[in-house]
Amino acid sequence: MGTSNRRLATIQPVEMTREPLRLAIQNKLDSKKSISERRRLGQFATPSGLARDIVSFGLTLHNDELLSFLDPAFGTGAFYSALVDSAELNNISYAKGIEIDPYYGLPAKKIWADMKIDLELHDFTKLEPEYKYNFIICNPPYVRHHLMDTQDKIRIKEKTYQASGIKLSGLAGLYCHFLLQSYQWMADDGIAGWLVPSEFMDVNYGKEIKQFLLSHVELLRIHRFDPSDVQFDDALVSSAVVWFRKHKPIEESNVEFSFGGTMEKPKIVKFIDRQTLKHESKWTRFPQMSVRTAETMEVRLSDYFTVKRGVATGNNNFFIMNREKIEALGLPFEFFRPVLPSSRYVHEIEIFADDIGNPVLPQELFLLDCRLSENEVQEKYPILWSYLESGKDSVSKGYLCKARKCWYYQEHRDAPPYICTYMGRDNTVTGMAFRFILNHSNAIVTNSYLALYPKKNLLQKIVAMPDLKRTIWKMLNDMSPERLNDEGRIYGGGLRKIEPAELLNVPIPQIAEILA
Ligand SMILES: C[S@@+](CC[C@H](N)C(=O)[O-])C[C@H]1O[C@@H](n2cnc3c(N)ncnc32)[C@H](O)[C@@H]1O
C-alpha cells in the first residue's frame, strides 16, 4: 500500500491526554529498578514522542473502521496511551495488553482502570490467542538468547514454530519469538508495527525472520532510526520499526525502506523489490546504499586477508624482554625484533613507529629471534650462547620448543599492518568485543593477537593509494559487532573469542564496494 492512502490521525487536545501521568509513573518505576534487573526482562520503555510517531503512522496503514488493538509487551502502555490520544475512542472496539511483570502491570492497571482495555498479567509466550487483533503495536523485550533460561528457550522455540511455522535459530533473542508468535494473534489484513533492534536485518539468526517477512506476510515498510539522532536514548539507537500486514505477499510490490527523521518524515526513503530482498543478506544497507550485485554480496574477510595467530614463543619470559634486560645481559641487539606487549596491556588502537620502526608504546619489548645454528652462536656470540645455555634444560624441553628443528627458532612472521585482539567482552560504548589495531611499526605480535595480512589484490591497491590502509582499518572497526559475534563464540561471563577461520568468514562487503 502506498503512502497516498494514509489516513491522518486525529490528535487529542493535550489537556485530555493521560500521557504525562503515565510517563511520570513509568519514570518513577524505572528509577527504582536497577538496569541489570530491567535488562533481564527487556524493560526499556518507548519514549512518548516515538510511541506517538509509530502509532499515528500505523493508523495511516489501517484499513478497517474499527480497531482491535494488542500490545503483548505492555509495560505501562506507551503505545496504548499514544493510541487513545491519536484515534477516535469510538473507533477502538477492543484493546488488550499483556505484561509479565506486575511491577509495571499493576500500576498500568490503575492508570487505565476506567478505559476499555483488558490488561492481563501473564507471559505472552505462554498464552493462546482468544481473539484476533487488527492492530498490533509492540516494543518487545530485547532479551538476548544467552540470557534466556535454557528450558524456557526450548519451550519458546517450539511455541514459535507452532504459531508461525518458522524454526528460529537458537541465537535468536526473545524479541524474534514475540514477533513470530504474534502472527497467530493477528486478524486477516491486520497491521503490525514492531519496534525491534535492527540487527536482525544483518545477522544469521535474523534469516528466518526475513524469510517470514517475505513469505508469510506483506512486508510494508522498515524504518530505521538514525543512531546519531539524540532524541532516542541508548536503548533505541539501533532500532527499526517493521510494518507488515497479515496478507499473502504481493510479489510485484516493493517494500519501503526509510532512514532517519521520524516515521512520518524520514530523511531518506527507497523502495526495494522483494526479489532483491530475498537475495540480499544485509538489509540495513537500505535505503542509503544501492542494490548489490552478486559479486559484492558474499564478500568475506578471506577474500582480502590472510589471518594468522601471533607467534607462540614457547616461553615468553625467556624469549621476550625489555631493552634494559637486553643491555644488562649484554645480548646482541641484532637478534631481537620488536614485539607488542600482550593485548591486556595495549590500549592504543593505532601503533606509531619511531624512526627505526620500533613501536612507540609505554612498554618496549623485544623477541629473541635468532636463526643461527647452535654451532654458529657458540662460535660467534658467546654471550648469547650462555643465555641460551641457561634455558637448555628447562625452556628447550617445553612442548613447543622441543618440537622445533632448533629449540629457540621462532616462527617466521612479518609485522602485520592490522592486528586483532581476538578475546574480549562487549565494549559498552561500541558494542565491539574485539579491536582492530592499525600497526605502523615493525613489531610482530604474540598469540594474544591475530595478525591480518592483506592479500595481493588488496596490498597492490594499498601500495597505489596509501590512504586506503587507514580506510580499511576504519572499515574493520566498523564491522557490525553482531556479525563478528555471529562467527565467534561466547563463554560464560560474556567473554567472546574469535578464531582465525571464524574471522576470515565475517562478511565485509564494504571493501568490495570501495575497491570496485
Ligand atoms: C521494551 S518494554 C516495552 C514496554 C511498553 N510497551 C513500551 O513500549 O514502553 C517490554 C515489556 O515487555 C515485558 N515482558 C518481558 N517479557 C515478557 C513476556 N514474556 N510476556 C509479556 N511481557 C513481557 C517487560 O516487562 C516490559 O515491560
Side-chain angles (χ1 to χ4, degrees):
M1 161 159 176
T3 33
S4 58
N5 235 353
R6 289 173 185 165
R7 206 160 15 117
L8 279 180
T10 5
I11 307 294
Q12 299 287 325
V14 173
E15 57 272 21
M16 285 171 63
T17 177
R18 202 166 297 185
E19 183 53 14
L21 169 72
R22 187 203 67 82
L23 192 59
I25 293 173
Q26 175 79 49
N27 289 339
K28 195 164 165 206
L29 292 169
D30 284 350
S31 69
K32 293 192 172 154
K33 217 173 190 205
S34 71
I35 290 283
S36 58
E37 268 184 292
R38 285 169 56 198
R39 198 167 280 144
R40 210 172 48 80
L41 284 173
Q43 295 171 321
F44 296 94
T46 313
S48 308
L50 181 57
R52 190 180 273 246
D53 186 33
I54 290 173
V55 166
S56 47
F57 175 76
L59 290 173
T60 67
L61 297 173
H62 196 268
N63 285 333
D64 294 333
E65 270 315 302
L66 289 178
L67 286 157
S68 45
F69 168 83
L70 171 70
D71 179 349
F74 194 78
T76 60
F79 291 124
Y80 181 64
S81 179
L83 179 68
V84 295
D85 283 353
S86 310
E88 298 286 345
L89 280 186
N90 290 341
N91 287 346
I92 308 173
S93 64
Y94 186 52
K96 182 175 177 95
I98 300 163
E99 170 56 52
I100 198 169
D101 188 355
Y103 181 77
Y104 289 103
L106 291 176
K109 274 185 183 257
K110 277 201 185 135
I111 300 171
W112 305 110
D114 60 333
M115 302 294 280
K116 279 200 292 182
I117 179 163
D118 170 24
L119 282 184
E120 189 170 351
L121 291 185
H122 215 295
D123 181 338
F124 171 63
T125 67
K126 289 185 177 160
L127 289 174
E128 291 300 325
E130 80 303 339
Y131 191 83
K132 303 278 181 177
Y133 298 83
N134 64 19
F135 198 53
I136 297 184
I137 307 288
C138 188
N139 173 1
Y142 181 36
V143 181
R144 285 165 178 258
H145 74 97
H146 55 270
L147 294 180
M148 289 163 71
D149 172 82
T150 316
Q151 281 312 311
D152 224 23
K153 214 158 105 175
I154 296 169
R155 175 189 61 77
I156 291 174
K157 216 174 142 182
E158 182 54 34
K159 179 83 191 293
T160 299
Y161 180 60
Q162 281 168 18
S164 64
I166 301 271
K167 274 203 173 108
L168 273 183
S169 142
L171 302 180
L174 185 56
Y175 78 94
C176 304
H177 293 279
F178 260 67
L179 192 152
L180 293 185
Q181 291 188 15
S182 76
Y183 180 66
Q184 245 192 334
W185 295 68
M186 290 181 81
D188 287 343
D189 289 327
I191 291 290
W194 288 84
L195 176 60
V196 289
S198 36
E199 71 191 28
F200 87 89
M201 293 198 246
D202 297 342
V203 298
N204 280 346
Y205 77 68
K207 243 196 319 215
E208 290 82 14
I209 303 272
K210 289 187 278 189
Q211 182 202 332
F212 166 83
L213 293 173
L214 291 176
S215 61
H216 284 50
V217 292
E218 186 189 356
L219 177 60
L220 301 169
R221 178 177 177 187
I222 299 185
H223 175 81
R224 217 149 40 83
F225 297 103
D226 182 350
S228 63
D229 196 332
V230 285
Q231 66 170 311
F232 308 119
D233 59 23
D234 281 355
L236 288 167
V237 285
S238 58
S239 299
V241 187
V242 179
W243 291 100
F244 56 87
R245 187 189 300 283
K246 190 172 184 181
H247 192 291
K248 268 224 320 260
I250 302 165
E251 278 309 315
E252 312 75 57
S253 65
N254 293 333
V255 179
E256 182 177 346
F257 278 78
S258 53
F259 178 80
T262 61
M263 293 286 320
E264 185 137 28
K265 286 204 180 98
K267 280 193 206 140
I268 317 173
V269 177
K270 195 174 267 166
F271 286 85
I272 309 290
D273 69 88
R274 285 191 153 65
Q275 282 310 316
T276 298
L277 293 175
K278 267 183 199 158
H279 297 114
E280 170 60 66
S281 61
K282 192 169 188 276
W283 285 11
T284 56
R285 60 182 291 107
F286 305 125
Q288 293 99 317
M289 285 187 269
S290 51
V291 173
R292 277 194 279 181
T293 60
E295 299 87 72
T296 57
M297 192 94 84
E298 284 307 323
V299 170
R300 290 174 194 271
L301 233 92
S302 56
D303 291 309
Y304 293 99
F305 290 96
T306 50
V307 173
K308 286 187 178 157
R309 212 183 286 283
V311 287
T313 63
N315 188 320
N316 288 352
N317 285 338
F318 184 80
F319 291 110
I320 295 179
M321 57 192 93
N322 59 23
R323 187 182 290 274
E324 292 72 38
K325 186 168 173 188
I326 299 170
E327 283 171 359
L329 292 171
L331 294 169
F333 235 105
E334 62 201 274
F335 297 116
F336 285 87
R337 50 189 315 201
V339 64
L340 292 192
S342 142
S343 57
R344 260 179 303 155
Y345 304 110
V346 173
H347 304 292
E348 287 73 5
I349 50 165
E350 186 165 7
I351 311 279
F352 293 98
D354 63 15
D355 45 10
I356 55 163
N358 287 337
V360 182
L361 286 174
Q363 200 186 3
E364 213 188 6
L365 293 177
F366 298 88
L367 171 71
L368 174 56
D369 188 12
C370 172
R371 289 253 133 208
L372 300 184
S373 69
E374 291 189 273
N375 284 345
E376 275 178 296
V377 176
Q378 191 172 12
E379 213 171 282
K380 296 186 191 153
Y381 300 94
I383 299 178
L384 177 58
W385 177 246
S386 71
Y387 182 71
L388 290 176
E389 280 282 288
S390 73
K392 194 100 199 223
D393 290 320
S394 48
V395 180
S396 70
K397 302 273 184 296
Y399 176 74
L400 283 177
C401 293
K402 75 173 184 229
R404 292 174 181 155
K405 186 171 153 205
C406 172
W407 68 272
Y408 52 82
Y409 282 3
Q410 298 294 339
E411 296 163 85
H412 179 75
R413 281 285 197 292
D414 289 326
Y418 306 104
I419 298 163
C420 174
T421 60
Y422 70 101
M423 261 199 280
R425 294 190 156 74
D426 292 348
N427 180 296
T428 45
V429 180
T430 61
M432 278 280 245
F434 315 111
R435 270 178 301 141
F436 290 90
I437 297 171
L438 180 60
N439 181 25
H440 302 283
S441 77
N442 291 335
I444 56 166
V445 289
T446 57
N447 54 358
S448 71
Y449 299 93
L450 300 181
L452 280 76
Y453 299 95
K455 284 186 170 175
K456 205 168 155 198
N457 54 355
L458 179 58
L459 197 60
Q460 281 172 343
K461 302 258 180 185
I462 292 178
V463 171
M465 292 182 284
D467 287 352
L468 199 57
K469 184 173 168 187
R470 184 171 288 277
T471 311
I472 301 285
W473 169 53
K474 290 212 168 105
M475 229 170 243
L476 290 169
N477 278 308
D478 284 347
M479 285 195 293
S480 143
E482 292 301 333
R483 298 204 124 190
L484 281 159
N485 296 346
D486 243 20
E487 294 298 333
R489 58 223 35 216
I490 186 159
Y491 295 94
L495 181 71
R496 293 189 185 278
K497 199 169 167 191
I498 194 161
E499 298 292 345
E502 295 165 341
L503 182 57
L504 285 167
N505 212 23
V506 176
I508 184 156
Q510 305 91 314
I511 290 198
E513 274 157 34
I514 63 154
L515 296 183

